[in-house]
């Protein structure tokens, strides 16, 4: 029988890291989602000096350093502080859970509102709702972050006006640039007053939003494909994981903007880099698969994930997504995917269709060979 994973109820930070199977996971909430070349090179070197040189891109547009020795954590924090990548205290870090569209321009609404939110986090003006509670600043011409996890969102209406939106609500509230952050703080306080840790949970429990949330939201563009954009070039690494050498090579190309899609935007790049560890083809089958680190990297994982994910990637139909999860927590994909494989024991997986990793399985106890057979039969079906 599979043992249920431990739900810790919080996400790691830098000042409050989380112990995993390969050491501490130290998550950097990079200010404004942007690393200068010097910062990126510095992080790459520190990941080798204090950790195992493995760096994750999270689904909240953060960087994670893996394999950090707990006894050396304090030295790592001092070095990261010198790179201006550490908050003033753990309370500010916990509140500064801010996701930003990578297509911002200096001085635009996204840039302005992000800086205002960061300041509010530093002085603890953002309500302390939950370490998972987050903000999305997505105020470009059309939203691109609607498929990514956030509780409070800044978007733009079809008419070009700023909107304040709560996750799970179809309507937003018209706001101005000058009142936007105060309105967001009030909305976060409303969520906390409902006794909920997340905005969508408050609404699902029957709570009614305060007055003013009566303006239609604009449909988002969806996750952008890899390739060239006016802001630069979007590139990826398999499963959102890179080594220190790859981060150093990217840093040499220019400033980097992080995204919740586990891809990086190379600011101002006009050519796609030719690095063996990078994915630049938008049709690469590995982009159809999401997988957590699995065993033995995660102490909670019941089985291996990424080798199987690589083996199955080419079998996933274009336009669909496969999620390989080391346990029922489903950290790598918190929302439903077309097919999820949840490890229950070494070499055994439950198969779940159109749901999350913790949903009731459609098929139980499959071996990798049985899973491969399932995909072959699915491909042959009319």
């Amino acid at each position: 029988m599979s043992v249920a994973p431990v739900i810790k109820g919080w996400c790691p930070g830098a000042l409050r890291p989380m112990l995993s199977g390969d050491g501490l996971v130290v998550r950097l909430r990079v200010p404004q989602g942007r690393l200068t070349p010097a910062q990126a090179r510095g992080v790459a070197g520190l990941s080798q000096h204090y950790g195992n040189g493995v760096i994750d891109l999270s689904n909240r547009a953060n960087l994670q350093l893996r394999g950090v020795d707990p006894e050396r954590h304090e030295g790592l924090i001092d070095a990261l502080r010198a790179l201006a990548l550490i908050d003033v205290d753990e309370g500010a870090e916990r509140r500064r859970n801010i996701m930003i569209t990578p297509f911002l321009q200096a001085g635009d609404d996204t840039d302005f509102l992000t800086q205002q939110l960061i300041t509010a986090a530093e002085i603890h003006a953002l309500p302390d709702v939950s370490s998972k509670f987050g903000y999305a600043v997505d105020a470009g011409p059309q939203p691109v972050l609607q498929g990514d996890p956030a509780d409070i969102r800044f978007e733009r209406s079809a008419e070009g006006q700023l909107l304040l939106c709560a996750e799970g609500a179809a309507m937003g509230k018209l706001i101005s640039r000058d009142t936007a952050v105060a309105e967001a703080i009030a909305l976060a306080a409303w969520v906390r007053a409902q006794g909920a840790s997340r905005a969508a949970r408050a609404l699902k429990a029957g709570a009614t939003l305060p007055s003013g949330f009566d303006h239609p939201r604009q449909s988002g563009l969806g996750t952008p494909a890899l390739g060239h954009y006016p802001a630069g070039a979007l590139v990826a690494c398999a499963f959102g994981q890179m080594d220190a050498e790859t981060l150093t090579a990217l840093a040499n190309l220019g400033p980097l903007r992080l995204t919740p899609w586990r891809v990086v935007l190379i600011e101002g790049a006009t050519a796609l880099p030719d690095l063996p560890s990078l994915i630049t083809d938008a049709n690469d089958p590995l982009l159809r698969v999401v997988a957590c680190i699995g065993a033995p990297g995660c102490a909670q994982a019941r089985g291996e994930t990424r080798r199987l994910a690589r083996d199955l990637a080419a079998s996933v139909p274009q336009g669909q997504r496969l999620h390989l999860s080391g346990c029922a927590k489903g950290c790598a994909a918190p929302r439903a995917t077309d097919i999820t494989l949840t490890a229950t024991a070494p070499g055994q997986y439950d198969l779940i269709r159109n749901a999350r990793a913790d949903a009731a399985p459609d098929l139980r106890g499959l071996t990798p060979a049985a899973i491969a057979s399932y995909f072959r039969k699915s491909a042959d079906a009319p």
Side-chain angles (χ1 to χ4, degrees):
M1 180 181 295
S2 176
V3 178
V6 176
I7 307 297
K8 297 186 178 181
W10 55 279
C11 293
L15 297 175
R16 189 189 184 192
M18 185 177 286
L19 187 63
S20 190
D22 56 355
L24 289 180
V25 175
V26 177
R27 179 178 292 180
L28 305 181
R29 295 175 179 175
V30 176
Q32 294 190 283
R34 182 179 186 269
L35 287 168
T36 67
Q39 286 175 321
R41 283 191 287 268
V43 169
L46 294 176
S47 75
Q48 291 177 308
H49 185 70
Y50 289 95
N52 58 15
V54 174
I55 301 161
D56 292 328
L57 301 169
S58 83
N59 62 4
R60 293 221 177 181
N62 300 313
L63 283 183
Q64 293 185 164
L65 277 59
R66 302 199 66 95
V68 175
D69 183 346
E71 295 185 359
R72 305 187 70 202
H73 175 246
E74 186 174 341
L76 171 61
I77 294 302
D78 289 341
L80 289 168
R81 185 172 283 113
L83 291 172
L85 293 174
I86 296 297
D87 288 278
V88 293
D89 56 40
E90 196 270 327
E93 178 184 67
R94 186 173 62 250
R95 290 170 172 84
R96 192 176 58 79
N97 211 359
I98 306 167
M99 191 164 50
I100 308 136
T101 170
F103 304 125
L104 81 164
Q105 298 179 19
D108 68 4
D109 285 339
T110 294
D111 187 23
F112 175 83
L113 295 176
T114 300
Q115 292 185 48
Q116 295 295 304
L117 280 174
I118 291 173
T119 299
E122 289 174 346
I123 63 173
H124 295 191
L126 298 181
D128 193 2
V129 182
S130 159
S131 66
K132 294 180 179 290
F133 192 94
Y135 303 80
V137 190
D138 196 13
Q142 194 168 357
V144 295
L145 299 177
Q146 287 183 348
D148 305 296
D151 293 272
I152 294 177
R153 300 175 182 273
F154 294 119
E155 296 179 356
R156 197 169 297 281
S157 72
E159 300 79 23
Q161 301 156 298
L162 277 176
L163 279 181
L164 177 68
C165 309
E167 182 74 354
M171 309 289 275
K173 181 178 182 178
L174 292 173
I175 54 173
S176 72
R177 191 186 207 198
D178 293 333
T179 64
V181 171
E183 294 273 13
I185 290 172
L187 182 56
W190 173 85
V191 173
R192 187 173 62 181
Q194 309 312 305
S197 60
R198 308 297 301 273
R201 291 176 186 170
L203 295 173
K204 189 175 182 179
T208 302
L209 284 170
S211 62
F213 286 82
D214 54 10
H215 197 89
R217 294 174 65 182
Q218 184 181 187
S219 296
L221 288 172
T223 302
L226 301 185
H228 291 104
Y229 294 86
L234 281 178
V235 299
C237 293
F239 314 120
Q241 189 171 86
M242 67 177 76
D243 55 27
E245 290 80 6
T246 298
L247 182 57
T248 299
L250 288 172
N252 292 335
L253 300 175
L256 306 177
R257 299 183 187 179
L258 308 180
T259 80
W261 317 308
R262 296 189 173 92
V263 305
V264 174
L265 186 141
I266 307 169
E267 198 173 291
T270 57
L272 294 173
D274 184 17
L275 296 172
S277 55
L278 284 187
I279 299 173
T280 57
D281 180 359
N283 295 314
D284 192 307
L286 282 173
L287 298 176
R288 304 171 204 163
V289 184
V290 59
C292 65
I293 196 168
C298 177
Q300 301 258 31
R302 307 298 175 223
E304 190 276 335
T305 56
R306 292 187 173 169
R307 183 175 65 250
L308 181 58
R310 286 184 180 275
D311 292 343
L312 295 174
S315 302
V316 180
Q318 195 161 5
Q320 293 191 16
R321 203 169 206 209
L322 170 65
H323 174 203
L324 265 292
S325 184
C327 73
K329 288 169 64 178
C331 298
R335 298 187 178 184
T337 52
D338 298 287
I339 298 177
T340 297
L341 294 170
T342 301
T344 56
Q348 293 193 347
Y349 303 82
D350 286 350
L351 187 148
I352 304 160
R353 300 187 186 96
N354 301 311
R356 291 161 32 104
D358 59 355
D362 295 279
L363 298 171
R364 294 180 182 272
L366 299 181
T367 64
I371 294 166
S373 176
Y374 170 87
F375 274 91
R376 286 195 298 271
K377 290 178 181 177
S378 297
D380 294 338

